[in-house]
Amino acid sequence: DKTLVNARQMRDYWNMLYKLYGSLPEELLYPKDLRAAHDEIQARIEEEENAEVNEAIVARAQELSRFNWYDEGTMLFIRPAESYGEFIKEGKALSHCVARYANSHSTGGTNIFFIRCVDEPDKPYYTLELKLPQGKAPYVGQNRGFKNCARTEEVGRFEAAWLEHIKEIIKKEKSNGKRNRKSRNAERIGA
């Protein structure tokens, strides 16, 4: 019975509100969209319970933001995961296991990015795992949509163009690093 399911979800939502706030804030008691409110509160609780991992994910988002990219042709953009709660929301919305990668992402073991449509920037679309092996070209480990579906042709083209963009960024970073080392060496020897 749908009423019974909603009553259970409401009770669970209220329990989570109490856990998060220590009370039941009146303005949050009866949300217009119970499922969305439930998922939001659950993600916030999990972020707080995993505060250390969340801090690392926030820091990684800043580090990886150099790979943010927008493609005018497909009207898609990509950005790194920005919080532990986003991993939870992404996995729930797309019915896949990306939340299991949060710890690995937080330590640099892998790199998780979210592909979004420009007209719905907060709605999960595809989740991409980027591999950045030392001394080798970056590559996509996996790119999955709803219920682990494979990428569409359009998303595949977007992914390929984005990888080329990343390769250019990495090439410039290496080039700048070599120049900086040369100039530091020249300064040391008095050149």
Side-chain angles (χ1 to χ4, degrees):
D1 184 12
K2 191 173 180 158
T3 306
L4 184 59
V5 172
N6 286 341
R8 284 185 186 146
Q9 191 173 30
M10 182 63 86
R11 187 180 70 224
D12 190 43
Y13 170 71
W14 286 339
N15 286 335
M16 288 189 302
L17 279 178
Y18 191 80
K19 183 176 184 177
L20 188 63
Y21 295 107
S23 67
L24 295 173
E26 201 171 312
E27 66 277 9
L28 300 177
L29 278 180
Y30 301 102
K32 290 180 183 173
D33 184 343
L34 177 58
R35 176 180 226 142
H38 179 278
D39 291 351
E40 176 70 27
I41 294 297
Q42 183 177 17
R44 288 185 55 202
I45 287 171
E46 290 189 34
E47 275 182 12
E48 283 189 13
E49 289 173 350
N50 296 284
E52 200 172 291
V53 172
N54 188 56
E55 269 183 48
I57 291 170
V58 169
R60 297 263 2 264
Q62 290 176 339
E63 170 194 338
L64 294 171
S65 68
R66 70 190 196 275
F67 297 140
N68 288 359
W69 193 61
Y70 161 66
D71 179 54
E72 208 172 287
T74 59
M75 296 297 287
L76 296 175
F77 72 94
I78 189 166
R79 65 168 177 80
E82 295 176 345
S83 72
Y84 187 86
E86 279 195 329
F87 276 89
I88 304 303
K89 288 181 206 171
E90 186 86 357
K92 280 187 180 235
L94 295 179
S95 295
H96 62 43
C97 66
V98 71
R100 292 190 312 172
Y101 291 82
N103 286 332
S104 180
H105 174 82
S106 75
T107 62
T110 195
N111 308 283
I112 302 298
F113 286 80
F114 299 149
I115 298 174
R116 300 287 191 259
C117 297
V118 171
D119 58 348
E120 295 180 295
D122 297 322
K123 182 180 178 188
Y125 187 50
Y126 277 83
T127 310
L128 183 143
E129 179 186 25
L130 176 68
K131 298 291 191 172
L132 294 167
Q134 199 70 19
K136 295 182 182 175
Y139 66 94
V140 172
Q142 54 186 322
N143 185 354
R144 299 289 178 201
F146 185 66
K147 292 190 176 182
N148 278 319
C149 73
R151 66 185 72 73
T152 63
E153 282 184 39
E154 177 185 57
V155 172
R157 285 191 304 275
F158 172 83
E159 175 188 305
W162 178 64
L163 272 175
E164 289 306 312
H165 173 72
I166 288 176
K167 288 175 186 174
E168 286 300 314
I169 290 171
I170 291 171
K171 185 177 170 182
K172 284 180 186 174
E173 289 173 352
K174 284 182 182 178
S175 174
N176 287 339
K178 287 178 186 173
R179 273 192 239 119
N180 289 338
R181 279 194 300 276
K182 284 180 184 177
S183 62
R184 281 193 302 271
N185 288 337
E187 287 174 14
R188 274 189 233 132
I189 59 173

